[in-house]
Amino acid sequence: ALLRDGNIEAKTGAAGAIANLSSLAMNQVKAAREGSIPPLIDLLRLSTPEARTYAATALGNIAITLRIR
């Protein structure tokens, strides 16, 4: 919810948490299934450098597992 509906600070924090959690393979699929990809892409377009970094890291982590499967 924070990733979609929060203010920029909340979205940045949520993206950072997803980036950290998605470093584990078991969380990468969960993040994708829970719908985090579209809001992370939005952060790449419309956000601060810090939020963009977290979003890119999370998307990269998720992509690794999705590409393997």
Side-chain angles (χ1 to χ4, degrees), residues 35-48:
S36 66
I37 294 173
L40 288 169
I41 291 171
D42 288 343
L43 279 180
L44 290 176
R45 295 183 191 139
L46 306 171
S47 198
T48 65

Side-chain angles (χ1 to χ4, degrees), residues 8-10 18 23 26-27 29 31-32 34 36-37 43 48 62 64:
I8 191 60
E9 291 83 13
I18 293 170
S23 65
M26 64 185 228
N27 293 326
V29 173
E34 293 296 321
S36 66
I37 294 173
L43 279 180
T48 65
I62 293 166
I64 290 169

Side-chain angles (χ1 to χ4, degrees), residues 12-69:
T12 300
I18 293 170
N20 285 331
L21 291 169
S22 65
S23 65
L24 299 173
M26 64 185 228
N27 293 326
Q28 293 163 353
V29 173
K30 288 179 187 177
R33 286 187 181 148
E34 293 296 321
S36 66
I37 294 173
L40 288 169
I41 291 171
D42 288 343
L43 279 180
L44 290 176
R45 295 183 191 139
L46 306 171
S47 198
T48 65
E50 181 182 23
R52 285 194 300 266
T53 298
Y54 289 145
T57 300
L59 288 167
N61 289 343
I62 293 166
I64 290 169
T65 294
L66 294 180
R67 188 173 50 150
I68 293 171
R69 291 181 173 240

